[in-house]
């Protein structure tokens, strides 16, 4: 067994901050596409479609990124389990950042015809591939350095990154929407957030250049020859349960941050800046609560928090769509906030929970695969399903509420079948089962 070096508190803080910044940058890349899909990509890249079909097509390209994420989990998980967690962070950031900048350069359908949406889909696939590797590397590097009694708290820092990424992406969109005319925004304004990703990627690479390898990886005596094969053979049930459980978090998140923007602006006639501000305000609260719930998991356990979040989602999905349908900013904010509190009650602890569920030999692959398969089930499909369901509803899209409630019940059952893991040593002892 190789020597495992001890990381003191100040180093732990720097490590957590670097992980947070890196995930914020990569999720910025992913979210800025989702916001653009909800607001502008349909008419620009699918102009021959009806407004509904164009929105569905834009969300379909959005979903391609989620389909690619499990593939990224397998590809980068192999590197993470065989070569270390740190190399994953650099490679995934380069891939996601490069693809995002390229999206901002793709000509529209009016300029190059059918090649435009094809290029869009290809670049979205590369975005998803990179992000599929990012989460596992960032979370494991933090979780495997953290002291067992505070692993939930320290591991929550990468989970705060998506909130920062979303706020940054949508903050840029709000600024552009408020200062540009609709014609200017559609012509070139929507491209600016994608181009900005290049600057962010360089900053992320600088932040991650000083990170050291995790003691969890250094403590492994024998590495898995093909981690994916070992995961499928020995841990398939746990992967499927985590995917089913986490699909709820994705479904909630992208209902609030993607579908609701489209529904609010197109069906309710709410100004897009108002919609973005309502969602962003709820995201600020959600981000601030992340370390609170994560710290609770160090005292109460991971599974109880996940069960509580799922149960809250079961009872909140119908109020969510009812409050959204009012078109009133404060009521919409209340609906979004309740949904995101249910979300973060679960996802604040996932960064500690998933690594503890898998054997160290295949932890990067197993945790990332379960996490990103949940994204396919909950993130890729939800905006399209919600758009289709709401098209045939009245003022209040009750069908969307029913769909989300079913997803919440399934997740509740999956979490009930998963074991509690706290406390467990992630450095030298494998997870049970």
């Amino acid at each position: 067994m190789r020597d495992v070096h001890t990381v003191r508190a100040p180093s732990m803080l720097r490590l957590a901050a670097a992980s947070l910044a890196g995930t914020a940058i990569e999720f910025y890349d992913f979210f800025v596409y989702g916001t653009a899909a909800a607001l502008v990509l349909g008419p620009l890249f699918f102009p021959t479609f009806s407004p509904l079909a164009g929105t569905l097509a834009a969300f379909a390209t959005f979903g391609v990124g989620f389909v690619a994420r499990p593939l990224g989990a397998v590809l980068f998980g192999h590197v993470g389990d065989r070569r270390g967690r740190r190399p994953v962070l650099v490679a995934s950031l380069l891939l996601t950042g490069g693809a995002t900048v390229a999206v901002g350069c793709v000509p529209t359908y009016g300029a190059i015809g059918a090649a435009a949406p094809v290029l869009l889909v290809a670049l979205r696939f590369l975005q998803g591939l990179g992000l599929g590797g990012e989460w596992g590397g960032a979370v494991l590097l933090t979780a495997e350095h953290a002291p067992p009694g505070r692993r939930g708290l320290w591991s929550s820092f990468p989970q705060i990154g998506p909130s920062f990424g979303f706020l940054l992406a949508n903050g840029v969109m709000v600024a552009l929407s408020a200062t540009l005319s609709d014609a200017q925004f559609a012509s070139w304004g929507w491209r600016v957030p994608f181009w900005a990703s290049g600057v962010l990627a360089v900053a992320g690479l600088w932040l991650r250049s000083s990170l050291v390898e995790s003691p969890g990886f250094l403590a492994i005596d024998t590495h898995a020859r093909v981690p994916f094969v070992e995961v499928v053979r020995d841990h398939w049930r746990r992967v499927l349960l985590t995917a089913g459980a986490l699909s709820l978090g994705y479904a909630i998140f992208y209902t609030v941050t993607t579908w609701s923007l489209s529904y609010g602006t197109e069906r309710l006639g709410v100004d897009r800046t108002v919609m973005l501000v309502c969602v962003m305000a709820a995201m600020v609260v959600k981000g601030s609560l992340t370390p609170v719930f994560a710290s609770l998991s160090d005292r109460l356990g991971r599974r109880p928090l996940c069960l509580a979040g799922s149960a809250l989602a079961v009872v909140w999905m119908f109020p969510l769509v009812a409050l959204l349908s009012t078109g009133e900013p404060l009521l919409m904010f209340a609906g979004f906030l309740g949904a995101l509190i249910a979300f973060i009650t679960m996802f604040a602890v996932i960064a500690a929970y998933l690594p503890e569920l898998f054997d160290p030999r295949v932890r990067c692959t197993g945790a990332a695969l379960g996490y990103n398969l949940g994204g396919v089930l909950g993130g890729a499909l939800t905006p399209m399903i919600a758009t289709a369901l709401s098209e045939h509803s009245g003022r209040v899209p009750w069908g969307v509420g029913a769909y989300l409630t079913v997803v919440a019940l399934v997740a509740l059952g999956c979490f009930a079948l998963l074991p509690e893991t706290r406390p467990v040593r992630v450095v030298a002892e494998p997870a049970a089962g």
Side-chain angles (χ1 to χ4, degrees), residues 385-421:
I385 292 174
T387 298
L389 290 173
S390 61
E391 179 65 17
H392 302 292
S393 66
R395 174 78 178 183
V396 182
W398 296 119
V400 177
Y403 163 72
L404 293 172
T405 301
V406 170
V407 175
L409 288 169
V410 171
L412 187 62
C414 290
F415 277 125
L417 293 172
L418 285 169
E420 178 55 77
T421 59

Side-chain angles (χ1 to χ4, degrees), residues 30 33-35 37-38 41 46 55-71 120-129 131 250 254 258 372-385:
F30 206 71
Y33 189 102
T35 304
L41 294 186
F46 305 95
T55 299
L56 285 170
F59 281 150
T61 64
F62 174 73
V64 166
F66 286 98
V67 174
R69 284 174 64 167
L71 299 177
L120 201 63
V121 169
L123 291 170
R124 180 61 176 173
F125 183 88
L126 292 177
Q127 267 192 326
L129 202 67
L131 193 61
Y250 284 101
Y254 288 101
T258 301
N372 288 294
L373 281 174
V376 176
L377 298 174
L381 300 178
T382 293
M384 292 182 287
I385 292 174

Side-chain angles (χ1 to χ4, degrees), residues 2 28 51 193-194 210 219 229-230 305 401 405 425:
R2 283 168 284 186
Y28 165 89
F194 292 92
S210 61
V229 172
E230 194 166 316
L305 271 292
T405 301
R425 289 177 55 82

